[in-house]
């Protein structure tokens, strides 16, 4: 078996069958990771290679060849030299429980993401950005995780703007901010996990800090700081200085903000940290949505067709012919299609006439699209109890073992009238799932039920599949379940 580790140097002593690894820089413990498996590699750039199982390698090469070097070069032009030597990527099985993880020198990423070019691009660029924000300079506590994720998200969008243009970046941002507001609606504006400086007090589950506030509210604050400078280039210069000053150390928010004000003495004189309604302290410690959001008008050429199509499908009376002919989804970007479907999800349940016509127009088209698109259509099917397409939900869950695609569907199935259908699929697929994912789905299936009898896990047959549902679900609070509504990369 091939063994890989997040390290700057590695050797293999063939006679002894021993791998040795060395990391020459100090890194926090959460960034240390290794993997072993039937992995082969191919170079995709002068300092990058992909590792994957043989059946996946050709796809990984075709999607990423030459691209990682392009992204690294763009990042270096913004934030200074890439200090980790190599940037390799290993693709893990679909059961890997998170989308991606930024371990230095070797990014771990779920193979399912190879289906979607645009999500793959964004996820890998996000992990590239972590090479500076998170890996080189690390948040000192999990209570300030936004220092890693908010800055990495900002840097990711600066890199995508440099390589793919402002319109694409604005489209992706609009999609994510839509998701943030959806999560805010689910949780309520006074939920403590919506703070940037979350206090790990009794009742706060640390795992709930992996949420969109950490990423998107953190991003909005960083974007706001960049706007105070008046020029993104000036802010890039500050971030380069920040990296150089704190490289290979862990910081708290005050370190970042003090450095910011010292770097821009004119802003310090203006007391921008105390500007009414936008105080830095309020950004950090107030619950609720971001205090300010970016101007996304540069993405209007991509977002306007989405808004137009959504209005056509949701305005009464429905003119399905006009709606169907107004846009060709096969020519849209993935982020446009998922934004449209997310809007329909937010409006569900839809009128029966609308869901029927939507299925007639789009269902067969969407079948051939990537999983990020298909799951959203299937969520619409479930939330609208549209039984003619329900067999597609079963087929999807029988073939997708990744957390990001299974959890949203199981939550929707269990919220409505289809819990028995969900149980049946889970009986059939549970042995293919990662243990953590299996436990999470068990928690979802247990919501609102009396304690279910445990079935002997060793006694399953084709007629009576083995499954164990826990009698008590101590951590499956409504808030925790809601936080899984949207998937994020590390």
């Amino acid at each position: 078996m091939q063994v890989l580790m997040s390290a700057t140097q590695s050797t293999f002593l063939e006679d002894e069958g021993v791998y040795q690894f060395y990391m020459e820089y100090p890194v926090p413990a959460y960034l240390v990771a290794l993997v072993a498996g039937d992995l082969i590699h191919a170079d995709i750039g002068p300092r990058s290679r992909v590792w994957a199982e043989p059946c996946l390698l050709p796809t990984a090469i075709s999607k990423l060849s030459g691209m990682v070097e392009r992204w690294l070069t763009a990042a270096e032009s913004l934030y200074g030299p890439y200090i980790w030597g190599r940037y390799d990527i290993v693709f893990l099985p679909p059961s890997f429980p998170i989308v991606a993880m930024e371990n230095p020198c070797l990014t771990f990423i779920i193979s399912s993401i190879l289906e979607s070019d645009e999500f793959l691009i964004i996820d890998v660029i996000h992990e590239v950005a972590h090479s500076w924000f998170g890996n080189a300079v690390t948040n000192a506590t999990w209570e300030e995780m936004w220092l890693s994720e908010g800055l990495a998200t900002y840097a990711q969008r600066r890199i995508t703007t440099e390589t793919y243009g402002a319109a694409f970046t604005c489209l992706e941002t609009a999609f994510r901010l839509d998701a943030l507001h959806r999560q805010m609606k689910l949780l309520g504006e006074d939920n403590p996990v919506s703070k940037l400086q979350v206090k790990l007090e009794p009742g706060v589950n640390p795992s709930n800090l992996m949420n969109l506030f950490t990423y998107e509210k953190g991003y909005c604050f960083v974007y706001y700081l960049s706007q105070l400078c008046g020029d993104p280039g000036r802010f890039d210069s500050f971030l380069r200085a920040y990296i150089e000053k704190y490289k290979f150390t862990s910081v708290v928010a005050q370190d970042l903000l003090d450095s910011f004000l010292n770097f821009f003495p004119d802003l310090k004189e203006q007391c921008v940290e105390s500007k009414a309604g936008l105080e830095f302290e309020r950004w950090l410690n107030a619950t609720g949505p971001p205090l300010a959001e970016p101007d996304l008008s540069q993405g209007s050429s991509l977002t306007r067709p989405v808004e137009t199509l959504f209005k056509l499908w949701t305005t009464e009376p429905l003119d399905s012919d006009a709606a169907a002919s107004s846009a060709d989804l096969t020519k849209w970007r993935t982020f446009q299609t998922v934004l449209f479907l997310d809007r329909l999800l937010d409006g569900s349940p839809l009128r029966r006439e609308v869901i029927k016509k939507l299925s007639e127009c789009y269902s067969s088209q969407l079948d051939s699209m990537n999983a990020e698109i298909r799951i959203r259509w299937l969520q619409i099917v479930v939330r609208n109890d549209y039984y003619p397409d329900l067999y597609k939900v079963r087929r999807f869950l029988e073939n997708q073992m990744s957390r990001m695609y299974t959890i949203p569907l199981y939550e929707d199935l269990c919220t409505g009238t289809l819990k028995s259908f969900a149980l049946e699929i889970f009986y059939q697929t549970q042995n293919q799932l990662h243990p953590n994912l299996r436990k999470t789905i068990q928690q979802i299936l247990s919501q609102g039920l009396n304690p279910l009898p445990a079935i002997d896990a060793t006694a399953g047959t084709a007629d009576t599949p083995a499954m164990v549902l826990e009698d008590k679900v101590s951590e499956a609070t409504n808030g925790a379940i809601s936080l899984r509504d949207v998937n994020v990369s590390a």
Side-chain angles (χ1 to χ4, degrees), residues 244-293:
E244 190 58 36
K245 180 178 181 179
Y246 291 109
K247 186 168 56 179
F248 305 131
T249 65
S250 297
V251 299
V252 296
Q254 202 58 50
D255 295 322
L256 171 71
L257 298 178
D258 287 346
S259 296
F260 174 77
L261 293 173
N262 290 332
F263 194 86
F264 298 107
D266 54 324
L267 297 179
K268 189 174 185 177
E269 288 177 12
Q270 298 169 31
C271 298
V272 292
E273 74 275 19
S274 303
K275 188 174 181 180
L278 291 163
E279 299 90 344
F280 289 0
E281 181 66 23
R282 190 174 174 192
W283 269 105
L284 295 175
N285 291 304
T287 60
L291 303 182
E293 293 188 8

Side-chain angles (χ1 to χ4, degrees), residues 165-411:
F168 176 76
T169 300
C170 288
L171 171 65
E172 186 260 335
T173 306
F175 160 70
R176 300 292 188 191
L177 289 178
D178 255 25
L180 176 71
H181 289 293
R182 190 175 305 115
Q183 198 166 87
M184 187 85 269
K185 187 176 179 182
L186 284 166
L187 295 175
E189 294 198 3
D190 59 349
N191 195 298
V193 300
S194 64
K195 295 180 181 180
L196 288 183
Q197 285 185 327
V198 181
K199 302 302 179 189
L200 290 178
E201 299 166 342
V204 176
N205 186 334
S207 67
N208 289 347
L209 303 188
M210 286 292 291
N211 63 59
L212 278 172
F213 302 102
T214 301
Y215 292 74
E216 298 303 333
K217 189 173 181 178
Y219 160 76
C220 287
F221 184 28
V222 177
Y223 181 87
Y224 170 70
L225 295 177
S226 75
Q227 292 301 104
L228 290 175
C229 304
D231 174 14
R234 291 184 72 205
F235 192 64
D236 293 336
S237 297
F238 158 68
L239 289 177
R240 283 196 296 273
Y242 164 78
I243 292 292
E244 190 58 36
K245 180 178 181 179
Y246 291 109
K247 186 168 56 179
F248 305 131
T249 65
S250 297
V251 299
V252 296
Q254 202 58 50
D255 295 322
L256 171 71
L257 298 178
D258 287 346
S259 296
F260 174 77
L261 293 173
N262 290 332
F263 194 86
F264 298 107
D266 54 324
L267 297 179
K268 189 174 185 177
E269 288 177 12
Q270 298 169 31
C271 298
V272 292
E273 74 275 19
S274 303
K275 188 174 181 180
L278 291 163
E279 299 90 344
F280 289 0
E281 181 66 23
R282 190 174 174 192
W283 269 105
L284 295 175
N285 291 304
T287 60
L291 303 182
E293 293 188 8
D295 175 13
L296 301 179
S297 58
Q298 287 182 287
S300 60
S301 62
L302 297 173
T303 56
R304 195 181 302 114
V306 176
E307 293 161 3
T308 299
L309 186 61
F310 175 71
K311 285 178 183 175
L312 285 170
W313 278 107
T314 53
T315 300
E316 294 187 53
L318 174 66
D319 185 346
S320 58
D321 291 336
S325 61
S326 68
D328 182 357
L329 298 191
T330 62
K331 292 186 170 66
W332 272 12
R333 290 180 173 271
T334 290
F335 281 118
Q336 287 179 292
T337 307
V338 297
L339 186 61
F340 169 61
L341 295 175
D342 276 347
R343 298 275 170 90
L344 291 175
L345 266 172
D346 290 342
S348 293
L350 304 164
R351 288 179 290 124
R352 207 67 191 161
E353 174 195 15
V354 173
I355 185 66
K356 183 174 182 295
K357 290 294 184 181
L358 280 167
S359 178
E360 290 173 2
C361 288
Y362 300 131
S363 185
S364 60
Q365 281 184 35
L366 299 177
D367 277 348
S368 62
M369 296 185 184
N370 63 63
E372 291 287 348
I373 291 172
R374 295 202 313 278
I375 187 177
R376 287 168 167 82
W377 170 246
L378 296 177
Q379 285 184 272
I380 292 170
V381 166
V382 170
R383 290 190 193 181
N384 288 275
D385 293 327
Y386 189 66
Y387 291 103
D389 276 4
L390 203 57
Y391 74 96
K392 296 181 180 182
V393 176
R394 177 191 293 276
R395 187 170 64 198
F396 186 86
L397 288 175
E398 286 174 347
N399 289 283
Q400 291 289 346
M401 302 301 145
S402 130
R403 184 182 191 88
M404 61 183 176
Y405 299 136
T406 52
I407 293 295
L409 270 176
Y410 273 108
E411 288 188 330

